[in-house]
């Protein structure tokens, strides 16, 4: 894709996601606008050297079907089949229990397309970074440790997908073990 067209499409995706997430906030004490998270995921991928526009648009849109009134068909019409399919791959089935959703994320991680795996890896890296730096303000320490441990299990299923991000995740995991040194980590 021509660079200017790719940039315009990325900005269209950003505009769309910002509109869809406009009433949502992150769980940190400042209730950061939700859109900062998809921007963060896309930025982390770009800074790690990813320039594929499907990956970057998918990152910007990755929580739209799961967390907003957005349909797969709508993304197909606006951003094309490939972007829409990647977002769908990253969407948990909200009809399942939280435990079933988490188990499926783990079991299916390695079967996802390469583009979806890259975004998932960046998503987990951003969330663990946030847990260490701007955590959900209502979460206890055990809950934070539980989330980090579960993320580690998912990331271990994604090994070989994006070495820069895998290294960043491992460094964050090391920091987590220091920050929560009273807890027993599994890995
Ligand atoms: P999660 O546990 O999945 O919440 C984590 C998600 O919150 C992240 O994946 C991220 O989602 C989003 N998020 C928003 N703000 C932040 C932030 N500042 N830092 C990191 N992540 C952030 O979902 P729920 O809160 O819905 O809880 C459901 C699950 O939690 C169940 O598995 C339940 O069993 C468990 N639970 C555990 C408890 C405990 O004390 N151990 C208590 C209650 C529930 P995204 O990537 O989509 O932005
Ligand atoms: Zn996310």
């Amino acid at each position: 894709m021509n660079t200017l067209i790719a940039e315009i499409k990325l900005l269209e995706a950003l505009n769309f996601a910002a509109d869809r997430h406009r009433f949502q906030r992150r769980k940190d004490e400042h209730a950061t606008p939700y859109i900062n998270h998809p921007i963060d995921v896309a930025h982390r991928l770009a800074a790690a050297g990813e320039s594929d526009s499907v990956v970057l648009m998918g990152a910007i849109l990755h929580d739209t079907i799961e967390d907003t009134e957005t349909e797969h068909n709508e993304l197909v019409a606006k951003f094309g089949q490939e972007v829409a399919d990647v977002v769908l791959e990253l969407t948990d089935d909200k009809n399942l229990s939280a435990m079933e959703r988490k188990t499926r994320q783990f079991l299916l991680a390695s079967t996802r397309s390469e583009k979806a795996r890259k975004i998932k890896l960046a998503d987990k890296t951003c969330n663990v970074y946030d847990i260490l730096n701007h955590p959900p303000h209502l979460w206890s320490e055990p809950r934070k440790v539980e989330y980090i441990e579960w993320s580690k299990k998912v990331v271990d299923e994604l090994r070989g997908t994006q070495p820069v991000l895998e290294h960043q995740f491992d460094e964050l995991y090391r920091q987590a073990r220091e920050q929560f040194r009273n807890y027993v980590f599994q890995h």
Side-chain angles (χ1 to χ4, degrees), residues 91-103:
T91 302
D92 285 349
D93 181 349
K94 288 218 163 157
N95 293 318
L96 301 174
S97 70
M99 179 57 89
E100 283 172 321
R101 289 208 306 262
K102 289 200 167 194
T103 307

Side-chain angles (χ1 to χ4, degrees), residues 26 34 37-38 41 59 62-63 67 119-120 123-124 126-127 147:
R26 298 287 282 169
Y34 196 88
H37 167 66
V41 175
H62 81 273
D63 280 328
D67 292 341
I119 298 168
K120 180 54 108 183
D123 188 31
K124 285 277 161 259
C126 287
N127 281 339
Y147 185 90

Side-chain angles (χ1 to χ4, degrees), residues 93-179:
D93 181 349
K94 288 218 163 157
N95 293 318
L96 301 174
S97 70
M99 179 57 89
E100 283 172 321
R101 289 208 306 262
K102 289 200 167 194
T103 307
R104 273 174 69 86
Q105 265 197 37
F106 165 69
L107 290 175
L108 295 176
S110 64
T111 70
R112 301 301 190 200
S113 69
E114 192 186 9
K115 291 176 190 191
R117 280 187 281 130
K118 285 180 178 175
I119 298 168
K120 180 54 108 183
L121 187 54
D123 188 31
K124 285 277 161 259
T125 307
C126 287
N127 281 339
V128 169
Y129 177 88
D130 284 348
I131 300 265
L132 297 179
N133 295 282
H134 324 280
H137 66 119
L138 297 176
W139 284 21
S140 63
E141 287 201 339
R143 184 150 185 211
K144 292 177 194 169
V145 170
E146 186 189 301
Y147 185 90
I148 292 165
E149 284 288 64
W150 170 67
S151 298
K152 172 83 164 77
K153 280 183 72 166
V154 174
V155 167
D156 282 347
E157 291 300 303
L158 299 169
R159 296 275 168 198
T161 298
Q162 220 292 352
V164 176
L165 295 182
E166 287 163 46
H167 179 75
Q168 287 176 8
F169 183 90
D170 291 342
E171 175 56 22
L172 290 167
Y173 190 75
R174 193 192 61 71
Q175 287 173 26
R177 293 178 66 128
E178 267 179 34
Q179 188 167 324

